[in-house]
Amino acid sequence: MLRIRLLQTIRLLADLGIVRAILSILFIVFLLYYSYNQCMIFMNSIYVSMVVFCVILIIHIGRNDKHFLKITYHNYKNILILEYLFISTPFLVGMLLTPHFYIFLIFLASIPIILFINVPVNHIITDNVLARGVPLQYYELKSCVRHSFYSFAGIYTAALAAVFFVPYLSLILLWLLTAVISQCYSECEPDAFIKGKFVSSSQFLVHKASTHVLFILAVILPICMAHVAAYPHTWVIIAAFMILITVNIVFFIFSKYAFYEPGTKLNFNSTLISIAQISIILPFLIPLPTIFIVKYWGKCIQRLNIYIND
């Protein structure tokens, strides 16, 4: 099984391509550096460990392959432990270089506890939560969250829990959440979803971008406000962070409709989206999404005119 996971990792890196693989590595290095800095403080070491533990717990609860692993591999518990350690490494391995390295050892000892927690996934409940929480007009988000409910719930809960304990960790988790959100715009809806509802392509784009931005900002606003309440001097950073989120969401939407094909899945623009996401640690890349928003506006109009003005 470990050999299969290794091959899957190699295949994933190959599918990512050189640019996205390098960007992914840079982001992991950033997490290692951030982990090291934060974990120099004793209480931060505990808080970071608790947040990562909760995220892994939610991932474990949401997995649908546990039964398959159990009947296929006699050492499936060891496989799960190694996978969870691999997930937590970027967040916690920096702790080994601090005076509080023993917290990491305690975290290692706590991982097997997760394996004994088995909450049956009730998709009716998750669907009802989504039906109440995500209006139908945000069908991309609704579909994506339905398929990744526990990922969304885990990251959001961890960000909310971290806000009063570890400065900026909640913002990093929210940025990871936007990386998940970017995948919501990789699938093109049928043209029936956009025909006859708008008088022009520009009206459609403005409405789509503005409503989605406002909805997503409303979702992350409680965490951002809590961060300002806990650390009032960071209000400028929070404001800049929300502006970056806004620009990226508009970029995700425009990169979809610039190459819109009804009922298809877009894969070729993922490199640009990855670069936009990595801009949080490489500031010279920050202008890139704005540049492409301007560039894609005309392409979106031209593409959508085929369907809206049909």
Side-chain angles (χ1 to χ4, degrees), residues 15-20 23 251 267-278 288:
D15 292 340
L16 286 175
I18 296 177
V19 175
R20 281 185 289 163
L23 292 176
F251 171 59
N267 295 312
F268 52 84
N269 62 342
S270 53
T271 297
L272 289 176
I273 289 177
S274 299
I275 293 174
Q277 289 301 114
I278 209 70
L288 187 65

Side-chain angles (χ1 to χ4, degrees), residues 56-67 84 113-123 125-126 149-150:
I56 293 176
L57 174 60
I58 293 175
I59 291 174
H60 176 73
I61 293 173
R63 291 184 66 157
N64 55 15
D65 63 343
K66 295 194 291 288
H67 181 68
Y84 296 150
I113 298 174
I114 294 177
L115 305 184
F116 295 97
I117 301 175
N118 187 22
V119 179
V121 179
N122 190 330
H123 293 288
I125 293 177
T126 60
F149 178 81
Y150 287 97

Side-chain angles (χ1 to χ4, degrees), residues 192-267:
F193 280 56
I194 61 177
K195 280 184 175 180
K197 298 181 180 179
F198 298 90
V199 297
S200 67
S201 299
S202 59
Q203 183 192 50
F204 169 80
L205 277 176
V206 171
H207 178 268
K208 183 88 172 186
S210 60
T211 54
H212 279 239
V213 165
L214 289 174
F215 180 78
I216 292 171
L217 288 182
V219 171
I220 69 171
L221 185 61
I223 295 177
C224 292
M225 294 300 293
H227 198 281
V228 172
Y231 315 101
H233 62 282
T234 65
W235 70 269
V236 175
I237 295 175
I238 295 298
F241 177 79
M242 296 186 73
I243 291 173
L244 286 177
I245 294 289
T246 298
V247 171
N248 273 10
I249 297 303
V250 175
F251 171 59
F252 298 156
I253 294 172
F254 278 31
S255 64
K256 170 184 174 179
Y257 289 106
F259 306 96
Y260 176 75
E261 288 285 351
T264 62
K265 184 176 178 64
L266 303 175
N267 295 312

Side-chain angles (χ1 to χ4, degrees), residues 55-231:
V55 170
I56 293 176
L57 174 60
I58 293 175
I59 291 174
H60 176 73
I61 293 173
R63 291 184 66 157
N64 55 15
D65 63 343
K66 295 194 291 288
H67 181 68
F68 170 77
L69 292 175
K70 184 176 181 179
I71 63 177
T72 306
Y73 302 98
H74 68 278
N75 61 338
Y76 78 98
K77 290 185 177 180
N78 293 335
I79 293 171
L80 291 176
I81 290 174
L82 289 175
E83 288 183 350
Y84 296 150
L85 288 177
F86 180 78
I87 293 171
S88 62
T89 294
F91 294 94
L92 296 178
V93 74
M95 196 183 299
L96 289 174
L97 304 177
T98 71
H100 315 300
F101 64 91
Y102 54 89
I103 304 262
F104 181 74
L105 300 179
I106 295 173
F107 174 83
L108 292 182
S110 67
I111 289 293
I113 298 174
I114 294 177
L115 305 184
F116 295 97
I117 301 175
N118 187 22
V119 179
V121 179
N122 190 330
H123 293 288
I124 296 177
I125 293 177
T126 60
D127 284 348
N128 285 340
V129 169
L130 289 169
R132 292 194 299 268
V134 184
L136 187 58
Q137 72 180 92
Y138 309 109
Y139 45 82
E140 295 100 335
L141 298 172
K142 196 178 189 74
S143 175
C144 189
V145 176
R146 178 178 286 113
H147 289 99
S148 307
F149 178 81
Y150 287 97
S151 296
F152 276 89
I155 295 174
Y156 191 88
T157 303
L160 192 59
V163 68
F164 291 106
F165 304 113
V166 185
Y168 305 114
L169 177 59
S170 57
L171 301 187
I172 293 175
L173 291 171
L174 286 180
W175 196 258
L176 288 176
L177 191 63
T178 63
V180 179
I181 290 174
S182 71
Q183 300 305 309
C184 300
Y185 302 100
S186 63
E187 295 187 10
C188 298
E189 68 271 31
D191 56 359
F193 280 56
I194 61 177
K195 280 184 175 180
K197 298 181 180 179
F198 298 90
V199 297
S200 67
S201 299
S202 59
Q203 183 192 50
F204 169 80
L205 277 176
V206 171
H207 178 268
K208 183 88 172 186
S210 60
T211 54
H212 279 239
V213 165
L214 289 174
F215 180 78
I216 292 171
L217 288 182
V219 171
I220 69 171
L221 185 61
I223 295 177
C224 292
M225 294 300 293
H227 198 281
V228 172
Y231 315 101

